[in-house]
Amino acid sequence: MSVHIDITGLRPERVAVVPSPLAELGMALHALSEPGHHPGLQGWVTGVTARLDSHLADRMCEADFLWRTTFSDLFLPYAGIPGGAALPGATLAEELDLLDKLTDEQFVDAALEFSCAMPYGDGPSPLVDAGLRRRALELAAARGPGQVRFSELLLTDPPRIRGWLRQFLQDCDEAFFAEAWSRLRHQLTADARHKTDLLRRKGLAEALAAVSPVITLDVAAERITVDKLSVGRTATLDGGLLLVPTSFGWPHLSVLYRHGWQPVLHYPVGSPELAAPPSVEQLALRMTALSHPVRMRICRYLARSAYTTSELAQTQGMTAPEISRHLSVLKKAGLVTTRRRGRYVQHQLDIAVVARLGSDFLEGILR
């Protein structure tokens, strides 16, 4: 499972690394709504929540489905501007102006993606398709009266929702985000300069590797692959590729691959990860390997000391070939290391890898 970006014909000058205040505000709202996703932001979340005006807090709940899951493409409006060349604005006000430039169809489709779990991709808009409109309201009804009200207004009076959202985001900026952005924008600007320098000196492959080890470039196929628990495809076509750094975002590495929009990689900077995260495939192998009771018992022994296959066979009351098959699964998953001592081959559990498994799993599913 991965997201693929076809970059056939992409010129180096059409790749841009630019911070986005609106995208960062979207991530800030997400962190406030789902603090469990961001343990490193607990202090900031607690401080903002404690001083937040109760009226603004209530308004934050009215449409939190736009940012609770991750955040809506509405927070990356420049990607939807025709031509594929628009860049994030230097200020939140500039980016809100870009948000106003999206058509009602674009705005409604992006908003309904999370609020009503509508399909992500090409197709008619529920503003013009009666069947999709009914489906959107049915899905909203399953998620509570708040989403029903929001969806009904969105489908019948998009300008009203657009005005409400703009005012809400401006109020958030005044209440807490402007202070945070004044502190974070220097880090994000420095990261963007560093990635841009890598692009110019060493090329796209090196820049993408610096963004995240789960992003790879196949030069021959002219394709970027992002290892995620989702499936998607997009292409730069005649447009460009945007890389947008975020300080609030870890562990989320988001890919905008909406049909007709410019591809965007929204990546975290300063992530606390100690080692390169495993691929989704490797994570699945590890979880599967540990799901078998015999292999769990073997791990119990290997966590204490190194054992040969024969020794494990004796402790488990099994044959050596049976133990070898289980060890092969554990080694393929990267959970067991092997070393030779004279004529004996010993196996031992990789404690560091197992200790990271919980955080790797969380990072993998939230990536």
Side-chain angles (χ1 to χ4, degrees), residues 48-64:
V48 171
T49 303
R51 66 176 188 268
L52 200 62
D53 175 77
S54 59
H55 179 58
L56 183 59
D58 289 342
R59 291 162 63 202
M60 194 176 294
C61 294
E62 290 181 31
D64 65 351

Side-chain angles (χ1 to χ4, degrees), residues 337-347:
T337 59
T338 299
R339 64 184 179 184
R340 180 172 289 278
R341 289 289 179 88
R343 63 191 181 91
Y344 296 102
V345 175
Q346 296 180 322
H347 314 284

Side-chain angles (χ1 to χ4, degrees), residues 248-302:
F248 281 131
W250 191 89
H252 306 300
L253 171 63
S254 304
V255 186
L256 190 157
Y257 56 95
R258 182 178 295 278
H259 178 77
W261 289 43
Q262 184 179 8
V264 179
L265 291 171
H266 190 209
Y267 66 93
V269 301
S271 64
E273 58 202 24
L274 300 178
S279 67
V280 170
E281 180 183 8
Q282 188 75 359
L283 182 60
L285 280 175
R286 290 174 182 174
M287 303 294 284
T288 302
L290 292 175
S291 67
H292 196 289
V294 171
R295 292 194 283 272
M296 289 181 68
R297 290 199 301 271
I298 290 174
C299 286
R300 182 172 182 268
Y301 280 84
L302 298 184

Side-chain angles (χ1 to χ4, degrees), residues 223-235:
R223 182 178 65 189
I224 296 170
T225 298
V226 185
D227 186 57
K228 288 175 64 72
L229 273 169
S230 57
V231 178
R233 292 184 179 278
T234 187

Side-chain angles (χ1 to χ4, degrees), residues 86-141:
L87 297 176
T91 66
L92 182 65
E94 290 178 20
E95 294 203 320
L96 291 177
D97 289 342
L98 290 173
L99 182 60
D100 288 341
K101 291 183 179 180
L102 296 181
T103 66
D104 282 348
E105 288 77 9
Q106 288 177 306
F107 184 92
V108 170
D109 290 350
L112 287 177
E113 177 204 345
F114 289 130
S115 62
C116 295
M118 295 298 286
Y120 188 84
D122 193 14
S125 169
L127 287 179
V128 297
D129 187 300
L132 277 178
R133 180 188 296 260
R134 286 193 299 272
R135 178 61 176 157
L137 292 175
E138 288 171 1
L139 290 168

